[in-house]
Amino acid sequence: VSCYQVAVSCLLSDNEMRKLELDSKRFAYYTDNAYSPEEVTSMTANILKALDFKVCVFTPKKATEEILVKLGKSCSRLTALFAHYFIDLTMHNTMFACYLPSTVAAAAILVASKETGNPIRPGSKQYQILVNYSLQPQDIPKCVKIVKEIYDQAKRQETGGNFDIDSLPRHSMVIKHYQVEFIESVKGSLIPSLSKKLF
């Protein structure tokens, strides 16, 4: 229970913890009162002390953001939106539990770059950045395959499976998911007079 409390407190801010009433009393309740709130507090303090209070959560989302910074301008805004969309999809799928966040992020960016028409090719400088960042580069191809599969599943689910997923307008899933960001991205790249007409 104390390990769980430490993990949850890393993911949520103090304010969110208070809103959800996730305190030692609540965690003691989760143990069916096998531990008192004071015991939970004491165990949590001991765990944090043993870890020297160095606790952080490294997620595929965080890894994606870091890789995109390293790729810089060689990665378009649309590719970044696609990569984040794929990361959102991976959070709902347990098949990614066996891969490191850096590997999932690298796979998402590779698939995103291909979907947006600017594929990152093996041997390129961008590909080397992905490989160097991932702690399990040998798993990237397997992870890429799974990302593609869940994207196809998401397209099927979105359309109710009623027609061929390849007939969907290009980028429609990402545009729908990130419509505000996409519109801002497009607005920024259009000349002002055309931008006013469209938006």
Side-chain angles (χ1 to χ4, degrees):
V1 169
S2 293
C3 289
Y4 184 68
Q5 184 173 5
V6 170
V8 170
S9 66
C10 286
L11 292 171
L12 303 175
S13 68
D14 289 340
N15 193 30
E16 291 171 311
M17 293 279 285
R18 276 193 292 279
K19 274 186 191 175
L20 297 171
E21 297 179 8
L22 291 174
D23 54 12
S24 294
K25 187 176 180 182
R26 174 64 60 101
F27 283 101
Y29 171 79
Y30 291 150
T31 68
D32 209 14
N33 293 316
Y35 297 99
S36 69
E38 294 77 21
E39 289 172 314
V40 171
T41 301
S42 174
M43 288 185 285
T44 303
N46 289 339
I47 291 169
L48 288 171
K49 187 176 177 183
L51 296 172
D52 198 24
F53 296 91
K54 294 178 182 172
V55 184
C56 70
V57 178
F58 190 68
T59 64
K61 190 170 186 73
K62 178 73 175 158
T64 300
E65 291 166 2
E66 289 185 10
I67 294 172
L68 290 171
V69 167
K70 287 181 183 291
L71 289 172
K73 293 185 179 183
S74 67
C75 189
S76 72
R77 175 80 173 133
L78 187 58
T79 300
L81 290 175
F82 253 88
H84 283 288
Y85 173 68
F86 292 145
I87 291 299
D88 288 349
L89 289 178
T90 66
M91 290 190 300
H92 304 285
N93 195 309
T94 57
M95 290 193 302
F96 293 94
C98 63
Y99 297 108
L100 292 176
S102 58
T103 303
V104 176
I109 292 169
L110 282 170
V111 176
S113 70
K114 186 172 182 188
E115 284 294 321
T116 56
N118 191 20
I120 295 174
R121 303 195 188 288
S124 68
K125 182 181 174 187
Q126 294 93 343
Y127 190 81
Q128 203 55 46
I129 290 170
L130 295 175
V131 169
N132 290 343
Y133 191 85
S134 176
L135 297 173
Q136 294 175 327
Q138 71 280 4
D139 289 341
I140 293 174
K142 291 182 269 183
C143 209
V144 162
K145 184 178 178 201
I146 300 170
V147 169
K148 287 178 184 174
E149 288 171 5
I150 65 165
Y151 180 48
D152 285 345
Q153 289 170 2
K155 289 192 283 188
R156 281 191 189 88
Q157 185 175 1
E158 190 67 28
T159 62
N162 294 331
F163 60 92
D164 182 23
I165 58 170
D166 293 328
S167 66
L168 281 173
R170 191 170 175 90
H171 314 321
S172 62
M173 299 291 288
V174 173
I175 292 169
K176 181 179 178 185
H177 194 73
Y178 290 109
Q179 59 190 12
V180 172
E181 291 90 342
F182 182 78
I183 289 170
E184 286 174 0
S185 176
V186 171
K187 275 182 169 181
S189 64
L190 293 175
I191 57 172
S193 60
L194 183 58
S195 180
K196 285 179 186 174
K197 288 180 187 174
L198 291 174
F199 303 104

